[in-house]
């Protein structure tokens, strides 16, 4: 399996979970890898994705999330329900303004965590190129050592090129989610964090 830039950030996201959270929604859950990690952390997890084939793979993997086939940009979301809402590499598949729908589904004090992808090149991205090569090489070497081949790779969720640059993401986040923080990460990613008022 190739190095996965989103899975790489699972530990970071888990460290940003709110204290004492119990209910979670994972938006654009793909094959459900992060949703299952939330379950393993004691959360009751709803996980939604718009692609039936991807969701079928998630459902077949089991692990406890309650899966739902839905378009996050238009589907009805419960009001003030979730202690945490996560969206990993999914927001650029939908209008950025969809974040306001997510915040309405947050319980008081609940937290929105978006692992986002941005367009364009910054100085950090130049640093990411060698890091990326090393990470891919390490995964390849590990697979060779274990005898794994390309035909064993599991199905991956759909990918799409992001349309917003990091400054555009920051500006939109400030406008739509006052008090949010956008932190640039390696591998063309950012972490958007927003905590709903108590
Ligand atoms: C790049 S994949 C990321 C999947 C997963 N979060 C991960 O980290 O592996 C983006 C996912 O978002 C889903 N998606 C795209 N648009 C969506 C929408 N409007 N509502 C819900 N899911 C959507 C896609 O079907 C895909 O599974």
């Amino acid at each position: 399996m190739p190095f996965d830039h989103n899975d790489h950030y699972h530990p970071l996201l888990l460290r940003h979970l709110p204290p004492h959270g119990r209910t979670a929604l994972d938006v654009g859950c793909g094959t459900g890898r992060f949703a299952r990690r939330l379950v393993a952390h004691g959360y009751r997890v709803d996980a939604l994705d718009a692609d039936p084939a991807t969701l079928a793979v998630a459902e077949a993997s089991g692990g406890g999330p309650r899966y739902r086939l839905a378009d996050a940009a238009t589907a009805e979301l419960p009001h003030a329900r979730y202690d945490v809402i996560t969206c990993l590499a999914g927001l650029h598949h939908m209008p950025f303004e969809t974040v306001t729908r997510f915040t309405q589904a947050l319980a008081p004090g609940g937290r929105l965590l978006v692992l986002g992808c941005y367009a364009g090149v910054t100085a950090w991205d130049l640093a990411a190129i060698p890091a990326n090569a090393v990470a891919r090489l390490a995964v390849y070497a590990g697979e060779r050592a274990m005898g794994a081949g390309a035909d064993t790779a599991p199905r991956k969720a759909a990918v799409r090129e992001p349309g917003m640059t990091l400054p555009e993401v920051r500006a939109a986040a400030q406008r739509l989610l006052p008090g949010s923080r956008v932190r640039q990460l390696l591998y063309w990613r950012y972490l958007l964090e927003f905590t709903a008022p108590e």
Side-chain angles (χ1 to χ4, degrees), residues 6 28-30 33 48-51 54 70-72 88-90 93-94 157-159:
N6 305 319
C29 64
R33 289 188 305 281
L48 66 84
D49 200 283
D51 179 50
T54 307
D71 179 344
L88 281 65
H93 287 251
M94 47 193 99
V159 292

Side-chain angles (χ1 to χ4, degrees), residues 113-186:
L113 297 171
V114 175
L115 178 69
C117 307
Y118 60 78
V121 177
T122 71
W124 268 62
D125 304 322
L126 300 178
I129 291 169
N132 199 37
V134 170
R136 283 183 187 280
L137 210 60
V139 171
Y140 176 71
E143 281 180 351
R144 285 289 294 255
M146 293 194 316
D151 56 343
T152 62
R155 187 184 196 283
K156 302 279 285 186
V159 292
R160 172 188 284 191
E161 287 302 314
M164 290 170 76
T165 63
L166 189 63
E168 288 169 343
V169 168
R170 287 191 199 283
Q174 198 157 16
R175 178 168 54 84
L176 296 167
L177 306 175
S180 63
R181 286 179 0 140
V182 176
R183 173 178 155 198
Q184 185 175 18
L185 304 172
L186 267 185

Side-chain angles (χ1 to χ4, degrees), residues 97-128:
E97 287 69 21
T98 311
V99 291
T100 57
R101 296 170 49 76
F102 301 160
T103 57
Q104 286 159 15
L106 282 176
R111 192 165 296 169
L112 171 65
L113 297 171
V114 175
L115 178 69
C117 307
Y118 60 78
V121 177
T122 71
W124 268 62
D125 304 322
L126 300 178

